[in-house]
Amino acid sequence: MSPQGFPRTLRLLSAGDFRYVFAQADLKIHAKGMLVLARFNRCGHARIGLVAGKKNVKLAVERNRFKRLARESFRLRQEKLPTVDVVLLARRGVDDMDNAMLQRQLHGLWKRLQRDALRHGNTTAPAKT
């Protein structure tokens, strides 16, 4: 497996996986048009689940664009992320961002997630390189 692949083991797939994060999120990170909820796991790696509802992002093409860019951003940074289950929620306004701005927002979210996980006392977070 490539270190930057995106196999099923890196995704939240079942409703139970999502419930685990929604029930008691350890970290909440807000950004323009997005919200990250994260809960520490024992998998040994980060996993992601995406939520982009019709209520917040009207057009399917915009929901799909958000999810595609979020998956790619996560895939490229997965080795640097702490061992958390992440649910990334699309909020109103995410469809107004262009791709470059969305990528900058996502990059900032991952950096804040790393920092907040270290601050929260997660010892399984990788060291900064």
Side-chain angles (χ1 to χ4, degrees):
M1 179 175 85
S2 161
Q4 291 188 337
F6 194 62
R8 290 177 62 87
T9 57
L10 296 179
R11 301 179 224 163
L12 300 179
L13 297 172
S14 69
D17 293 340
F18 281 86
R19 264 195 304 273
Y20 174 76
V21 178
F22 284 126
Q24 187 178 1
D26 295 319
L27 303 169
K28 291 182 183 178
I29 303 169
H30 299 270
K32 183 180 179 192
M34 290 175 262
L35 170 66
V36 167
L37 300 174
R39 187 167 180 189
F40 296 108
N41 68 33
R42 295 186 178 143
C43 295
H45 54 80
R47 301 188 307 166
I48 189 169
L50 302 169
V51 178
K54 285 183 188 179
K55 182 177 179 180
N56 293 324
V57 186
K58 301 289 185 217
L59 300 177
V61 67
E62 292 297 329
R63 291 192 299 275
N64 293 335
R65 180 179 68 96
F66 168 76
K67 291 189 286 186
R68 185 180 63 249
L69 291 172
R71 277 192 302 267
E72 182 67 6
S73 177
F74 177 82
R75 185 186 70 81
L76 293 173
R77 291 169 183 80
Q78 67 189 352
E79 296 295 320
K80 297 178 182 173
L81 295 176
T83 58
V84 291
D85 287 343
V86 175
V87 174
L88 179 61
L89 294 109
R91 298 307 223 187
R92 285 191 177 97
V94 76
D95 51 351
D96 297 331
M97 292 187 227
D98 62 0
N99 287 356
M101 184 176 184
L102 191 53
Q103 288 170 342
R104 282 193 305 274
Q105 290 288 329
L106 288 165
H107 179 70
L109 279 174
W110 304 136
K111 286 175 68 173
R112 287 174 54 199
L113 180 63
Q114 281 180 276
R115 185 185 67 222
D116 290 357
L118 288 172
R119 202 177 286 159
H120 195 267
N122 179 19
T123 58
T124 59
K128 288 186 177 180
T129 54

